[in-house]
Amino acid sequence: MIRANMAGTVWKVLVKPGDTVAPGQDVVILESMKMEIPITAETGGTVQAVKVGVGDFVNEGDVVVELD
């Protein structure tokens, strides 16, 4: 699972189910206080589900992407 590292609004979703993700790859971009904050994958895998959409608000620790 990939979790938000801070609270913010989802500005852009960079992956979709079925995509292969490499460690260190950006998967979601948050906007917080007029700054863009990338959420990156710590491990690689295949995207099983994207749990957020553009415009959604997430809190620190919320799951944004599920990997297998």
Side-chain angles (χ1 to χ4, degrees):
M1 285 190 224
I2 302 172
R3 297 180 184 272
N5 54 9
M6 69 179 304
T9 302
V10 176
W11 182 67
K12 191 182 268 188
V13 178
L14 305 173
V15 296
K16 61 186 181 310
D19 287 354
T20 300
V21 175
Q25 180 177 337
D26 293 347
V27 295
V28 172
I29 309 280
L30 297 181
E31 187 276 326
S32 182
M33 298 174 7
K34 308 241 183 211
M35 295 182 354
E36 295 175 14
I37 297 99
I39 305 298
T40 59
E42 293 183 14
T43 60
T46 302
V47 176
Q48 295 301 309
V50 177
K51 298 294 193 176
V52 296
V54 173
D56 290 351
F57 182 83
V58 297
N59 288 300
E60 182 176 352
D62 286 355
V63 174
V64 294
V65 175
E66 287 184 358
L67 298 178
D68 70 351

